[in-house]
Amino acid sequence: MKYLIAASLALLATTNAVDAAPAAAASDPCTNVATQLKNEKLADYVNVQKCLDSFPLDKKVRDATVDTLYKATDGQYAFTDMASIQSRIDGGQWDLKDVDLRASLKSMGKKSYKTDRAFHDELNAMYRALGDAHTMYTNFCYHRAFNFRHPWLYRVVVKDGKQIVQLADLLAPNDAVWAAKIQAAIKVHPKDLVGYTVTSIDGQEPVAWVKREGDLFAGLAKDSQTRFNQVTSRQGVAIDGSITTAVGIATSRTRVAIPTESTRRLTLLSPDGKKTLRIAVP
């Protein structure tokens, strides 16, 4: 059987919450966000996006920011020249793109952006492209004030000699309120989908999607496989011998630009291979 399940609920959460129906309309989206956070400790995606995009570019801030970053990059960052040719380092095995920091910053200093967020997002993406865990740019308002969360951890396993992506454990298994809201959106309780194989993510092949997410948003390593692993959940052994699980950026996303879409579209295959579901997950 095939199911087509659509959800229009798009959610952006604070650290301790993920999902909510929009509050009653107020005078502006920022007021809506403040009201939602006060009443429910979470805010819906649409209001947050509109609020963040309501601030016009301040050219004085742009100029001062670019000037500071240029001086720091040109005078203190040891890998400025290397970054401009990093796609060719070690024969190009790291899957990195060249980043000419000096030229890019000069260009940004002359560019007119539609919003203040667009300027800071471009800086965030440029420094992430370095693949350097010690060199990042984040703006608290646009990149750290909110945390986008997804119901499931993702795991990549090998089946029949091929890598596949599966829905692993729930991110917050004891959060009944969140689970109820997700269920209302996708018409299935999220715990019932644990173990399903993901056959498509936003229209892309899942393993390719994981790689793309790592290359765009991980930004913590020059090694492409390390970036890949930072997207999915991964386990480790603590000093006391206990098993720990790290949540990947596919599940909990912060310090990057807000998602461009309000939902993530998944096509899922049940463990027995008999049922296909298509859901749009807030």
Side-chain angles (χ1 to χ4, degrees):
M1 297 177 65
K2 291 188 177 181
Y3 299 85
L4 179 61
I5 305 173
S8 60
L9 192 62
L11 308 167
L12 179 151
T14 60
T15 301
N16 296 319
V18 182
D19 166 59
S27 57
D28 62 79
C30 293
T31 301
N32 290 343
V33 170
T35 300
Q36 289 178 325
L37 293 178
K38 178 180 178 181
N39 295 337
E40 302 177 311
K41 296 185 179 180
L42 43 86
D44 72 273
Y45 176 95
V46 172
N47 276 318
V48 171
Q49 182 189 47
K50 289 182 178 180
C51 176
L52 295 181
D53 284 341
S54 67
F55 302 101
L57 175 70
D58 186 326
K59 292 185 178 180
K60 291 183 179 179
V61 172
R62 178 202 62 189
D63 294 347
T65 302
V66 167
D67 181 64
T68 299
L69 291 173
Y70 190 95
K71 290 175 180 176
T73 296
D74 197 42
Q76 300 181 43
Y77 187 56
F79 306 106
T80 298
D81 294 326
M82 184 182 295
S84 67
I85 58 167
Q86 63 183 7
S87 68
R88 289 166 275 170
I89 294 175
D90 296 331
Q93 65 174 305
W94 306 117
D95 253 356
L96 292 169
K97 296 180 180 179
D98 294 339
V99 182
D100 190 327
L101 293 169
R102 297 186 186 94
S104 296
L105 287 168
K106 286 182 179 180
S107 176
M108 291 179 193
K110 301 175 182 178
K111 187 173 178 179
S112 293
Y113 295 85
K114 290 183 178 180
T115 64
D116 188 53
R117 180 172 77 87
F119 166 64
H120 292 287
D121 280 358
E122 188 167 344
L123 284 171
N124 178 272
M126 180 183 72
Y127 280 99
R128 282 187 173 274
L130 295 172
D132 187 341
H134 303 286
T135 307
M136 292 285 179
Y137 176 89
T138 59
N139 176 281
F140 184 86
C141 178
Y142 302 121
H143 306 132
R144 299 175 64 184
F146 298 95
N147 179 19
F148 297 84
R149 296 171 70 184
H150 192 65
W152 307 275
L153 280 66
Y154 287 13
R155 63 181 172 220
V156 177
V157 299
V158 177
K159 183 177 181 180
D160 298 328
K162 180 183 178 182
Q163 283 186 314
I164 62 171
V165 177
Q166 292 180 331
L167 299 182
D169 299 329
L170 293 177
L171 173 63
N174 298 319
D175 192 335
V177 174
W178 184 32
K181 291 182 180 294
I182 295 296
Q183 182 176 5
I186 66 175
K187 312 306 180 187
V188 181
H189 196 289
K191 71 177 182 181
D192 294 335
L193 299 180
V194 171
Y196 272 58
T197 296
V198 184
T199 60
S200 175
I201 304 177
D202 288 335
Q204 301 176 50
E205 194 279 325
V207 174
W209 182 90
V210 169
K211 182 183 184 306
R212 176 180 176 276
E213 289 291 294
D215 290 341
L216 287 177
F217 302 116
L220 300 177
K222 294 190 180 299
D223 176 62
S224 59
Q225 186 59 56
T226 301
R227 296 196 301 271
F228 184 96
N229 291 339
Q230 289 166 348
V231 177
T232 60
S233 62
R234 53 205 181 277
Q235 293 184 319
V237 180
I239 194 169
D240 63 358
S242 61
I243 302 298
T244 63
T245 300
V247 176
I249 62 173
T251 303
S252 181
R253 175 173 162 175
T254 187
R255 298 181 183 270
V256 296
I258 69 173
T260 56
E261 299 294 335
S262 60
T263 60
R264 183 179 298 168
R265 294 175 290 110
L266 303 179
T267 302
L268 305 173
L269 182 66
S270 62
D272 62 10
K274 296 182 179 179
K275 184 166 60 176
T276 297
L277 294 87
R278 294 183 178 87
I279 58 177
V281 188

